[in-house]
Amino acid sequence: TMDHLANTEINSQRIAAVENCFGASGQPLALPGRVLLGEGILTKECRKKPKPRIFFLFNDILVYGSIIINKRKYNSQHIIPLEDVTLETLPDTLQMKNRWMIKTSKKSFVVSAASLTERKEWISHLEECIKHLLSKTGRQPCREPAAPWIPDKATDICMRCTHTKFSTLTRRHHCRKCGFVVCADCSRQRFLMPRLSPKPLRVCNLCYRQLLAEKKKEAEADQRQTEPIPCAMQGYEPSSGDDSDKSDDEKAEQWPADTEFYTSQVSWSSFHS
């Protein structure tokens, strides 16, 4: 389905429409051979609460962002190279059904679809694209995905010491290694994890000790020739896990109301073929 769309006018129009919606806040998305396969709104489990996000599936990347006006204006664009993606189906919770996890080496997060069928469609299209890409590049799937952040609401006490209670004065923090919600005392250390960020990141005391031990082992084994993780996209910035706190209430009025999402009656369905 992908290749015959590659150089078509309809594909170029669809990609231009998506770029248009992100406006100046987004990166250019048109590349030779890139195909837009589908789009949909999924609920993303964020730090504070689950929020609707727009997702676009291309044959090589997954793009998502915040919705200001559906089919008109989006912002907070994130771009994920598909060759770095693995998926895991998750059980329903009381609040969220049809869930699965999108895992990458830089960031992992949970999304849910409106129906079971929609989840199946998303997962099968994603898996097909990933398989296609990996077979083309000869790369291996991501072996060590980043831990997903446990949502703030999931716990009222620190998940490490289990006695510090969170309040307006006692803030929640996240360990960047295990994703646990921890208090300041249990996460005083920073550790450099080049896969996640060029800067040292906050980690809990337990992960800090484990990371130090691993580093010492590596030094002893003298494995300094670690190969860099190949990344399909330059400038792919991991989100801090805080994208949920970006203003979703950006004033819609700044956007001219007559901006049309689709030019020339481009037909559009959830997944294009």
Side-chain angles (χ1 to χ4, degrees):
T1 57
M2 303 179 213
D3 300 329
H4 75 263
L5 268 172
N7 301 307
T8 61
E9 182 59 27
I10 192 164
N11 181 57
S12 309
Q13 286 179 0
R14 283 170 179 164
I15 294 177
V18 176
E19 286 186 337
N20 202 11
C21 280
F22 278 104
S25 76
Q27 291 186 40
L29 297 169
L31 271 187
R34 176 169 288 164
V35 176
L36 176 56
L37 295 170
E39 52 122 22
I41 293 174
L42 298 171
T43 302
K44 178 175 178 286
E45 294 185 12
C46 300
R47 258 193 90 162
K48 304 279 184 224
K49 61 177 186 189
K51 299 196 174 171
R53 294 285 182 253
I54 184 75
F55 280 81
F56 296 97
L57 177 62
F58 294 83
N59 56 343
D60 62 333
I61 56 174
L62 181 65
V63 173
Y64 73 92
S66 300
I67 303 164
I68 309 295
I69 314 170
N70 193 28
K71 297 202 185 297
R72 289 273 179 88
K73 183 167 172 34
Y74 305 125
N75 69 4
S76 305
Q77 186 191 70
H78 297 260
I79 299 178
I80 300 173
L82 284 182
E83 58 196 38
D84 191 33
V85 170
T86 50
L87 305 172
E88 182 190 342
T89 308
L90 299 173
D92 289 353
T93 64
L94 283 172
Q95 294 77 27
M96 309 272 283
K97 295 190 164 31
N98 315 312
R99 303 161 71 232
W100 77 97
M101 197 188 299
I102 295 173
K103 301 193 277 192
T104 81
S105 59
K106 293 179 184 292
K107 179 186 168 125
S108 300
F109 55 92
V110 177
V111 290
S112 69
S115 68
L116 201 54
T117 314
E118 204 180 307
R119 176 175 79 175
K120 270 199 195 122
E121 279 222 345
W122 268 104
I123 289 178
S124 72
H125 282 92
L126 277 160
E127 283 177 340
E128 191 190 338
C129 291
I130 294 163
K131 203 172 95 185
H132 191 77
L133 256 186
L134 290 175
S135 71
K136 230 167 50 176
T137 59
R139 290 204 174 129
Q140 291 302 305
C142 165
R143 289 246 162 69
E144 232 190 301
W149 283 26
I150 290 173
D152 288 2
K153 287 245 165 61
T155 181
D156 291 329
I157 57 168
C158 170
M159 296 174 79
R160 283 296 178 217
C161 66
T162 68
H163 60 72
T164 301
K165 275 198 165 65
F166 296 120
S167 66
T168 35
L169 295 175
T170 310
R171 282 191 54 211
R172 290 167 164 85
H173 298 280
H174 276 85
C175 169
R176 303 310 195 266
K177 179 79 170 79
C178 66
F180 275 28
V181 183
V182 288
C183 66
D185 280 343
C186 287
S187 59
R188 295 216 174 277
Q189 306 291 348
R190 299 276 187 281
F191 200 88
L192 182 64
M193 293 177 278
R195 269 186 327 113
L196 298 184
S197 169
K199 297 188 295 232
L201 299 173
R202 180 190 290 272
V203 289
C204 71
N205 300 344
L206 180 71
C207 286
Y208 182 69
R209 289 195 295 273
Q210 288 173 344
L211 286 162
L212 271 186
E214 279 168 27
K215 193 177 170 184
K216 195 172 159 215
K217 247 194 213 153
E218 275 177 25
E220 283 163 7
D222 206 20
Q223 291 171 333
R224 288 192 189 90
Q225 271 74 42
T226 48
E227 51 179 320
I229 296 250
C231 179
M233 295 207 47
Q234 290 343 99
Y236 160 50
E237 275 299 304
S239 119
S240 62
D242 290 335
D243 71 296
S244 61
D245 302 331
K246 292 249 175 76
S247 164
D248 284 345
D249 316 314
E250 191 177 308
K251 295 288 173 284
E253 291 81 72
Q254 298 164 359
W255 201 252
D258 56 352
T259 310
E260 269 309 307
F261 184 63
Y262 301 121
T263 46
S264 68
Q265 311 302 298
V266 177
S267 67
W268 184 266
S269 64
S270 234
F271 287 99
H272 318 307
S273 53

